[in-house]
Amino acid sequence: MRPELLLPIVGASVLGSVHCAAMCGPFAAIASNPNAAPGRRFLLQLGYQGGRLLSYLTLGALAGLAGRALDLAGAAAGIGRAAAGIAGFLLLVWGLGALLETQGIRWLRLRAVLPPAVTRFLASLRQAPSLWRSTALGLATALLPCGWLYAFVLTAAGTARPLDGALILLALWVGNVPMLLGVGFFFGSALARVRRHVPVLSATLIFCIGLGTIVTRTRLAAFAGVFPESARASSGPVPTPADCPCHRKRH
Amino acid sequence: MSILFLILPITLVLSAGAALTFAWATRSGQFDDLETPALRMLDDETTPGAVALPEIPPGIGARPQG
Amino acid sequence: MPSKAALSMARASLRAVAPERAEVDCSHCGLPVPAARWDADAKAQFCCDGCASVYAILNASGLQGYYQKERPEAERRRAPNPSQRRFEELDDAKFLADHCRLLASGLSTVELVLEGIHCSACVWLVERLSRVLPAVAEARFDLSRSVLRVTWDRNAASLSDVARALDSLGYRPHATGSPRLVEEQRRADRALLLRVGLAGAAAGNVMLMALALYSGAFGGMTPEYVSLFRWGSLLITTPTVFGAGSVFFRGGLAALRTRSPHMDLPVSIGILAGYFGSVLNTVRMTGDVYFDSLCTLIFLLLIGRYLQRTHHRRSARASELLSALAPATARLVVDQGTREVLAANAPLGSVVEIRAGERIPVDGRVIAGSSAIDTSLLTGESRPEEVTIGDRVHTGTVNATAVLRVRVESAGADTRLGRLMHAVETTQRERAPVVRLADRVAGYFVLAILGVAALTFLLWLRIDPSHALDHTVALLVVTCPCALGMATPLAVSAALRQAAQAGILFKGGEFIEELARPGRFIFDKTGTLTEGRLELVAWQGDRSVQAVLRSAEEHSNHPIGRAVQRAFPANELPCSRIRELTGGLSADVAGQEVLVGSAAAVAGLNVPVPDWAQTLVDAHASRAQTPILVAVDRQVRAVAAFADTVRADARQSLAKLQAFGFTLEVLSGDHPNVVQGIAEQLALPFVRAVGGVSPEDKLARVQELRRAGERVFMVGDGVNDAAAMSAANVGIAVHGGAEVCLAAADVFTTRPGLGAVARAAEGARRAVRAIRLGIALSLVYNLVGIGLAISGRLSPLVAAVLMPLSSITVVTLALRAKTFRGQE
């Protein structure tokens, strides 16, 4: 994966991190203990961010694997780069739906709720020893039904490679860290004017990422003129049944 | 490498220039207060009417020096 | 999918709730909720499911308090509380001549210390003064000094106008201390900063050339380039050594002349030896040069000095600000009414009016009115004194209850307070400076180094004479106490900073070192060991009259009235016809006639005092508490006792000090019985606990102890302690004390209670331990360097690595030491 493809991801992550800080801020706050010494605070933050990173990377890798499976299945059915296409399409739909929501029209009736057992477990962490608590909170962040995160996971699936998937989630993590470390609070008042537009902004971003995924990754002939590189495999050749390990074993 | 014989003196002159500028800045009090300018950065320079300044009681500043 | 009608109804109802904004914010993250997710029935709105989940988690774990603390934009602005002052004393011609400067443009500038600035919004507001008062051309605020520089047109508005405008905005202005002193300090600070900057520039440039030289040493460099770089370094180093580094030479010379050790001496020796040795080698074109080490050394040491001075300034300014808060004005009674003048200028024989709650500005006799005076700040007496026509009053006491008119008998420096202040100044000036630990080490250090250098020289003269000088110079350069010179100031600065964060302000690092040594702690009682004000300690009788009593004392300034205000919650009972009497007050509360006062006052109004009440009154009096009778409708219903209570943390803190090995003593101006009672209550082994001590006696006692060779630490809060504090080795003023105490003290606490004193002692010990560790470490490095130099293995490269390494180690240790932080 070329690094310049990661940069827009990081950029999008930073832009959207306002909401990340707002929503996961309490977790970051619970994870670190303001009364502890700076050395300890640093360690706790490390646990939290590290836990987050670990869960993100895992998600990304899993998504990439799933995408690869989709690709293989698609290849077997004769469709190339199925994962990128499906992921891109889903992102388009999602982004559009989110945009419409801001205008008052609710068309996708998806309600993702945490199972109460998970909620109870997370609540019980309050009593846990602090390092375990901060790490567990970090790990659990990936479990939260966060649309923003899922958009990136979908993008990761679209890459159809576990490594690239993990890289995309790494880009997301990198974009998040400044805000979650509280650096963003300094700009809080400056961003107050931007706040109003965050829902529209994030919906548009998701839409664009979906569009970008379709255009650059699916290697459809129609887009060959727009993005000549997409004609060349940017992440490896299209897998054929001959590459499939289980198939290979048979032969 | 003999260019060094030219470069080094020029460097010294430039450094001296920088040092003089620093001396001027210090003497004219640029470094006296390093805390308040950081706060001033946070101000929004709005038009005079945009923010309501508090009222001071009448009679202050109205009378001439007596 | 909800119907269109339902949606528009939801939107309409939400708009009804928040009519100005057609927007709803997420209850969790505060960002706008997309219109489609508005739920008219739900209590909380969320922008996404993630926020809803986290909200649920927080609620389940009981952390809802997070939401109260979240919003940083909501700044709670304190409502401005302007005083009724007219600030006319600022228009005094002499004052204006001293404090204002006339500019070429015809405008004048003045500096005013402002109270109440606590955020950037305040700075913004205060700098917009010109929009509020057009005569002001410019207003510029300096946060570190809390000073506003105002440039204004004296013909359009007077200085008192400016002051009143600032006061009405909520920022009370005061005159600064002597402007000439401020100007001198500023000049000195700038000069030091200039040195630091230039030394830094030199160090950087010389290091670049040194890098070239080192590379050349490894890879080979033709002699003319070596010469070029050496001469270039020399050119840069010379002004640095004799310009920026001259502070060290001056210090070293002074140390030699007064034969007292100071760190500057070994530093100067190292610098000079290194410089001249390097110059020699540059001319000779052999041997080693140490220009880079020298410049870096000078730079680092100057930084240490700069930090020290900044911290010193900061704590000095804090006390300056506080001492500027003392209102030094008196209200003179003249034909047309009253006029405010500077208290020191009140003419003898004139009449001054003092309202209830104000501090008495002069010494004199009462000619009209009768009131109760709170003398605790001056004498330590916790019980208010009744005065009436003919009685004497003193500066520094507070007029509690009623307006008084006083004929001036002495003002300014001639008052009892003035004479005490003079005593404070004299004793402060006569103080011997504390010899710092590092400086004591410096003395031995110099001798040792010079000895070793001589030895090295002689040794190498026998072995290899051509290198003897080089090795000696190398020795002197590498043993230059950079780390030693930096470690102590940095450790002290770090300790000062931590102490400030813990609410303990030291006026200088030397007091930290003093506090770590054994000695005797002398405590004042009123306001130090005790809260300093009367509190309700006992109530016998009818409890139902408490509400009535509270209502009657609602507006009282009397110490007992205030104690009642604190003891019971305010109520809505209507109260009228409040009359202050000698020893009490009477009022009509909700139709009942309430009489509050001492037994004598109550009896004096022909209200019978029953036996049970009298017994209680006597019992309280014997315990040195103040008994007050409460009578409703001419019948005594309850007896309330008031006393000055011991602070909650007093026992713990004093026990801690005792555990450190200090001896404890109490000196108080209050009644001996009261002092005995307090000592017994604290149950600690006091060496002495004496009452009835006047401020002059306290001073005498401290001086006597010091002459006997004891180290004295004086803890107090009132004017009656100030002179003793300035005579003690370390004077500690506790929070809430008189301003003059803060000026006389060497340490003052900004948080109430005695815990800070114990903390100061513990922090001081840890700080000294950290300093010792730093010194030990730097000595170790020096030993290594000496070993290398003697064996001839020292090269400029090694020196350039060793010295920063030692500095970094020592500095890191100094900054990371937990002295005042991390105490429980």
Side-chain angles (χ1 to χ4, degrees):
Chain A
M1 152 135 349
R2 291 208 300 269
E4 48 275 38
L5 294 179
L6 277 179
L7 280 180
I9 307 268
V10 175
S13 171
V14 170
L15 279 178
S17 61
V18 176
H19 184 247
C20 293
M23 177 171 135
C24 291
F27 277 3
I30 301 171
S32 80
N33 178 7
N35 295 322
R40 181 84 182 152
R41 268 209 308 264
F42 179 68
L43 198 62
L44 292 174
Q45 269 294 331
L46 209 63
Y48 176 68
Q49 303 292 354
R52 233 165 39 92
L53 182 62
L54 200 60
S55 54
Y56 279 12
L57 291 176
T58 317
L59 266 181
L62 284 174
L65 268 176
R68 188 163 181 76
L70 257 180
D71 259 359
L72 286 172
I79 309 170
R81 321 234 79 197
I86 295 176
F89 178 70
L90 282 176
L91 283 169
L92 271 179
V93 166
W94 191 328
L96 207 58
L99 260 175
L100 289 174
E101 264 185 17
T102 64
Q103 301 312 307
I105 305 167
R106 184 116 192 227
W107 120 47
L108 284 175
R109 267 302 212 91
L110 290 171
R111 197 118 250 213
V113 183
L114 267 186
V118 180
T119 312
R120 273 199 305 269
F121 168 70
L122 287 175
S124 73
L125 279 179
R126 192 181 180 194
Q127 268 76 25
S130 44
L131 194 55
W132 161 236
R133 174 172 66 221
S134 49
T135 319
L137 278 175
L139 289 168
T141 313
L143 291 177
L144 294 173
C146 176
W148 190 239
L149 174 66
Y150 292 163
F152 282 85
V153 171
L154 262 182
T155 316
T159 64
R161 275 167 129 230
L163 186 61
D164 288 349
L167 275 176
I168 291 207
L169 268 279
L170 175 66
L172 171 66
W173 183 86
V174 165
N176 264 346
V177 165
M179 268 298 189
L180 277 175
L181 282 183
V183 168
F185 288 158
F186 281 95
F187 304 112
S189 51
L191 282 178
R193 283 185 217 128
V194 179
R195 266 186 164 202
R196 192 167 296 193
H197 304 294
V198 166
V200 177
L201 202 65
S202 45
T204 318
L205 274 171
I206 295 180
F207 186 84
C208 291
I209 293 179
L211 205 58
T213 308
I214 292 185
V215 167
T216 58
R217 279 193 230 284
T218 52
R219 290 199 328 161
L220 290 178
F223 298 124
V226 181
F227 287 104
E229 309 88 54
S230 66
R232 268 180 286 117
S234 61
S235 45
V238 180
T240 64
D243 296 324
C244 176
C246 49
H247 279 97
R248 245 182 280 143
K249 267 205 211 118
R250 293 235 196 98
H251 294 25
Chain B
M1 262 324 214
S2 54
I3 193 76
L4 273 172
F5 285 96
L6 182 65
I7 291 179
L8 208 64
I10 293 183
T11 311
L12 289 180
V13 168
L14 283 176
S15 302
L20 281 172
T21 315
F22 177 70
W24 167 83
T26 312
R27 289 231 177 85
S28 67
Q30 300 291 331
F31 296 110
D32 281 348
D33 178 12
L34 299 174
E35 288 176 29
T36 328
L39 288 186
R40 283 204 200 97
M41 207 174 67
L42 297 176
D43 293 344
D44 304 319
E45 264 312 319
T46 50
T47 56
V51 179
L53 289 168
E55 287 286 320
I56 54 167
I60 292 181
R63 45 186 197 102
Q65 171 68 347
Chain C
M1 170 117 171
S3 70
K4 261 213 160 89
L7 265 175
S8 54
M9 247 175 41
R11 220 171 297 157
S13 60
L14 273 162
R15 222 172 275 143
V17 164
E20 328 80 62
R21 314 170 304 153
E23 253 180 36
V24 173
D25 285 345
C26 175
S27 307
H28 175 72
C29 67
L31 292 175
V33 175
R37 285 185 184 251
W38 291 354
D39 186 350
D41 305 318
K43 211 174 10 136
Q45 309 283 333
F46 299 107
C47 64
C48 63
D49 296 324
C51 283
S53 315
V54 180
Y55 187 83
I57 294 173
L58 283 186
N59 273 313
S61 50
L63 290 169
Q64 302 89 323
Y66 168 82
Y67 294 107
Q68 266 83 345
K69 290 184 276 180
E70 225 274 289
R71 309 283 171 244
E73 306 100 65
E75 297 225 14
R76 269 173 290 122
R77 273 222 70 203
R78 256 181 280 149
N81 180 20
S83 63
Q84 298 308 315
R85 292 188 52 198
R86 301 211 294 263
F87 296 101
E88 286 158 344
E89 69 278 12
L90 296 178
D91 294 329
D92 179 55
K94 185 166 182 308
F95 180 86
L96 287 172
D98 276 341
H99 286 79
C100 300
R101 252 184 332 135
L102 200 60
L103 299 176
S105 52
L107 302 173
S108 311
T109 82
V110 72
E111 290 194 338
L112 294 169
V113 178
L114 291 189
E115 268 183 77
I117 304 272
H118 56 278
C119 66
S120 61
C122 300
V123 174
W124 179 89
L125 180 59
V126 133
E127 290 190 343
R128 301 277 172 304
L129 188 63
S130 53
R131 293 197 203 156
V132 171
L133 186 62
V136 171
E138 198 200 2
R140 202 139 173 99
F141 191 70
D142 181 340
L143 191 66
S144 52
R145 296 169 53 214
S146 199
V147 161
L148 182 72
R149 174 174 295 186
V150 182
T151 309
W152 91 109
D153 181 3
R154 264 160 81 161
N155 299 322
S158 64
L159 186 53
S160 56
D161 283 332
V162 175
R164 278 200 303 272
L166 285 167
D167 190 34
S168 71
L169 290 176
Y171 307 107
R172 204 160 303 168
H174 302 275
T176 53
S178 138
R180 212 171 313 125
L181 186 64
V182 169
E183 197 53 45
E184 270 169 37
Q185 279 179 354
R186 200 176 297 163
R187 217 170 293 143
D189 287 342
R190 281 187 197 160
L192 185 59
L193 184 62
L194 194 60
R195 278 178 211 266
V196 172
L198 292 177
N205 283 304
V206 170
M207 267 200 274
L208 283 175
M209 291 192 244
L211 198 64
L213 283 172
Y214 294 146
S215 317
F218 285 125
M221 195 192 270
T222 43
E224 56 249 29
Y225 289 112
V226 173
S227 234
L228 174 69
F229 286 122
R230 284 190 178 191
W231 280 101
S233 307
L234 188 146
L235 221 62
I236 298 184
T237 310
T238 308
T240 309
V241 164
F242 293 107
S246 61
V247 275
F248 302 112
F249 303 143
R250 256 182 276 140
L253 267 175
L256 274 177
R257 247 184 287 135
T258 62
R259 254 168 269 270
S260 64
H262 195 271
M263 193 49 67
D264 284 351
L265 193 53
V267 169
S268 312
I269 293 177
I271 293 179
L272 285 172
Y275 176 73
F276 286 114
S278 305
V279 169
L280 199 64
N281 284 342
T282 307
V283 171
R284 285 197 322 184
M285 298 223 254
T286 71
D288 297 319
V289 290
Y290 294 93
F291 292 122
D292 54 325
S293 298
L294 290 174
C295 284
T296 315
L297 174 76
I298 295 178
F299 178 48
L300 291 177
L301 284 172
L302 283 175
I303 290 185
R305 224 166 253 238
Y306 182 69
L307 282 176
Q308 233 181 333
R309 179 169 305 193
T310 321
H311 275 287
H312 199 263
R313 287 270 182 269
R314 204 164 289 171
S315 45
R317 269 175 206 154
S319 68
E320 202 184 281
L321 170 65
L322 290 166
S323 60
L325 295 182
T329 60
R331 194 174 296 112
L332 212 57
V333 174
V334 292
D335 303 326
Q336 310 92 317
T338 62
R339 187 163 59 95
E340 282 178 13
V341 296
L342 290 169
N345 293 347
L348 299 180
S350 60
V351 176
V352 163
E353 179 186 272
I354 305 146
R355 299 196 189 135
E358 290 182 348
R359 197 161 300 168
I360 299 181
V362 296
D363 281 5
R365 251 183 230 281
V366 180
I367 59 165
S370 58
S371 173
I373 307 283
D374 183 358
T375 59
S376 56
L377 239 47
L378 186 58
T379 62
E381 275 258 11
S382 46
R383 270 173 292 182
E385 191 187 312
E386 302 281 340
V387 296
T388 183
I389 300 180
D391 289 332
R392 265 233 168 89
V393 291
H394 295 284
T395 322
T397 57
V398 177
N399 177 17
T401 46
V403 166
L404 285 177
R405 289 209 171 180
V406 170
R407 189 175 298 283
V408 179
E409 287 186 354
S410 51
D414 297 322
T415 58
R416 185 176 178 196
L417 179 61
R419 273 177 274 130
L420 269 173
M421 294 312 308
H422 184 71
V424 168
E425 275 171 30
T426 340
T427 42
Q428 281 207 310
R429 247 180 292 131
E430 286 167 3
R431 255 189 173 169
V434 177
V435 180
R436 314 279 302 270
L437 176 64
D439 292 330
R440 268 185 286 141
V441 170
Y444 302 124
F445 191 77
V446 169
L447 292 172
I449 291 305
L450 286 176
V452 174
L455 264 165
T456 312
F457 190 65
L458 291 170
L459 192 69
W460 279 93
L461 266 181
R462 295 179 148 248
I463 301 177
D464 186 0
S466 61
H467 284 132
L469 194 62
D470 282 339
H471 291 142
T472 315
V473 166
L475 179 86
L476 286 170
V477 169
V478 85
T479 56
C480 192
C482 174
L484 209 56
M486 270 222 309
T488 311
L490 277 174
V492 167
S493 302
L496 285 174
R497 202 181 326 130
Q498 284 187 30
Q501 282 172 340
I504 307 165
L505 294 173
F506 283 85
K507 279 200 196 164
E510 59 266 36
F511 302 115
I512 296 186
E513 292 186 33
E514 271 289 274
L515 206 51
R517 301 202 196 118
R520 181 183 296 227
F521 258 92
I522 299 185
F523 287 92
D524 171 49
K525 177 193 81 66
T526 316
T528 311
L529 289 178
T530 63
E531 296 282 348
R533 52 186 188 195
L534 293 176
E535 295 286 349
L536 180 70
V537 291
W539 180 280
Q540 287 115 345
D542 197 346
R543 273 182 199 272
S544 63
V545 303
Q546 284 174 355
V548 171
L549 171 66
R550 173 68 173 82
S551 181
E553 298 274 23
E554 177 70 35
H555 299 289
S556 173
N557 272 324
H558 195 277
I560 289 185
R562 285 218 214 90
V564 171
Q565 287 164 13
R566 282 191 297 269
F568 306 121
N571 55 43
E572 301 290 316
L573 290 176
C575 180
S576 58
R577 295 212 296 152
I578 303 176
R579 271 177 312 137
E580 300 264 359
L581 320 155
T582 318
L585 66 73
S586 78
D588 276 347
V589 178
Q592 296 168 300
E593 188 198 339
V594 178
L595 180 58
V596 184
S598 60
V602 166
L605 286 164
N606 293 328
V607 173
V609 179
D611 290 330
W612 62 269
Q614 190 62 49
T615 329
L616 286 170
V617 165
D618 293 334
H620 285 306
S622 72
R623 265 174 291 173
Q625 294 166 345
T626 309
I628 294 293
L629 297 173
V630 183
V632 179
D633 292 334
R634 316 224 104 216
Q635 236 199 346
V636 171
R637 304 276 281 273
V639 174
F642 296 85
D644 193 5
T645 49
V646 170
R647 286 189 192 268
D649 57 1
R651 180 152 209 296
Q652 201 185 7
S653 311
L654 264 65
K656 210 172 177 192
L657 287 172
Q658 218 223 339
F660 282 142
F662 297 109
T663 49
L664 307 174
E665 187 175 317
V666 180
L667 284 181
S668 169
D670 207 350
H671 199 271
N673 279 0
V674 180
V675 179
Q676 265 310 111
I678 300 281
E680 275 161 32
Q681 214 180 328
L682 287 171
L684 287 166
F686 288 105
V687 165
R688 280 181 82 198
V690 184
V693 185
S694 73
E696 293 82 3
D697 290 338
K698 285 196 195 187
L699 172 62
R701 171 92 181 130
V702 171
Q703 285 171 327
E704 172 196 331
L705 280 170
R706 285 201 68 180
R707 270 193 299 266
E710 273 230 44
R711 195 167 289 121
V712 179
F713 308 110
M714 176 82 203
V715 184
D717 78 308
V719 169
N720 54 343
D721 306 313
M725 260 198 244
S726 58
N729 291 76
V730 179
I732 304 175
V734 288
H735 174 75
E739 291 83 12
V740 67
C741 229
L742 299 166
D746 308 304
V747 184
F748 51 96
T749 66
T750 56
R751 297 196 191 141
L754 285 168
V757 178
R759 232 178 145 154
E762 163 137 28
R765 291 168 158 241
R766 288 193 193 176
V768 168
R769 230 179 292 154
I771 294 176
R772 289 214 185 109
L773 186 63
I775 292 181
L777 258 178
S778 41
L779 284 177
V780 163
Y781 272 105
N782 271 332
L783 280 172
V784 170
I786 289 178
L788 287 173
I790 292 184
S791 60
R793 271 191 262 272
L794 195 72
S795 69
L797 184 60
V798 174
V801 167
L802 201 64
M803 287 167 71
L805 201 67
S806 70
S807 303
I808 291 178
T809 327
V810 168
V811 165
T812 315
L813 219 77
L815 292 178
R816 291 211 61 237
K818 269 207 275 275
T819 49
F820 292 88
R821 200 170 42 205
Q823 296 184 27
E824 49 14 302

